[in-house]
Amino acid sequence: MPKVTPKVNITELRQNLPRYLAQVQEGESVQVTVRGRVIARIVPEQNRQAAARARLKSLRSKARIGDVLSPSGEHWDAERGRS
């Protein structure tokens, strides 16, 4: 079951900021509202290196790596940029 993100009025947030920041530090996100409308979200900071590795790992099944250094049998003139 997905976790429900708590909504907090800006006045409540100001009065209890340390408590809400502790929730964010534990991995929860908090939606900040004004007159019942969400105006911002406070989300936990991600470890950028771990997130990048996770993205690369998810791409492994989609990527195809080949040998681009082996000759293809075609003659190519690098100076003229044509075959």
Side-chain angles (χ1 to χ4, degrees), residues 21 24-29 42-49 51:
L21 290 179
V24 171
Q25 192 173 16
E26 301 228 348
E28 289 185 42
S29 52
I42 304 173
V43 295
E45 180 67 26
Q46 288 186 342
N47 179 333
R48 296 174 105 181
Q49 186 177 22

Side-chain angles (χ1 to χ4, degrees), residues 45-66:
E45 180 67 26
Q46 288 186 342
N47 179 333
R48 296 174 105 181
Q49 186 177 22
R53 285 187 179 170
R55 284 192 304 273
L56 287 173
K57 189 175 181 179
S58 72
L59 290 173
R60 278 187 186 171
S61 63
K62 299 173 186 169
R64 193 169 90 185
I65 300 173

Side-chain angles (χ1 to χ4, degrees), residues 8-20:
V8 60
N9 182 285
I10 197 159
T11 304
E12 169 74 13
L13 178 68
R14 282 184 194 142
Q15 292 172 351
N16 298 293
L17 185 60
R19 185 180 82 186
Y20 289 108

